[in-house]
Amino acid sequence: MTLIFMALVAVLVATVFQWRLLPSAGRRRLPAMLKRLAFMMILGLMVMGIWHALFTDWISWQVFISHASTFGLVTHIVSLWWTTENESAKS
């Protein structure tokens, strides 16, 4: 537990440090990006839940959460990449 709390403190310190380095335009965009990430994580839960319900035997919740979060994170990154590509193509 001590190591977990030490890691949590290290992540919080790094988060505050990165927040302070972020320019004001980035700070304004961050809430929308976090909402988008949360939506993609929920989408990952739904997609992987349906996938595992239809195509696999029941697996452990740890594997399910791992698959769902991976799907959500990859979907988030690809959606950001596509929107960046569309914005650069328009200009």
Side-chain angles (χ1 to χ4, degrees):
M1 286 301 284
T2 302
L3 288 175
I4 291 173
F5 286 127
M6 288 171 57
L8 181 64
V9 168
V11 168
L12 288 175
V13 167
T15 301
V16 169
F17 183 69
Q18 289 296 322
W19 174 261
R20 293 183 60 92
L21 289 176
L22 200 60
S24 62
R27 288 183 189 177
R28 284 192 301 271
R29 289 183 59 201
L30 191 61
M33 298 288 251
L34 290 174
K35 287 178 189 174
R36 185 182 203 152
L37 177 62
F39 173 75
M40 294 300 176
M41 289 297 188
I42 292 168
L43 179 67
L45 283 171
M46 292 187 314
V47 168
M48 285 295 109
I50 293 168
W51 177 266
H52 285 295
L54 293 176
F55 298 112
T56 63
D57 292 333
W58 179 245
I59 54 175
S60 65
W61 65 269
Q62 296 95 337
V63 174
F64 171 69
I65 295 296
S66 171
H67 290 176
S69 62
T70 301
F71 183 88
L73 186 60
V74 169
T75 307
H76 177 71
I77 292 168
V78 169
S79 72
L80 289 176
W81 178 49
W82 281 344
T83 56
T84 304
E85 289 288 321
N86 288 337
E87 290 173 0
S88 65
K90 289 179 184 178
S91 52

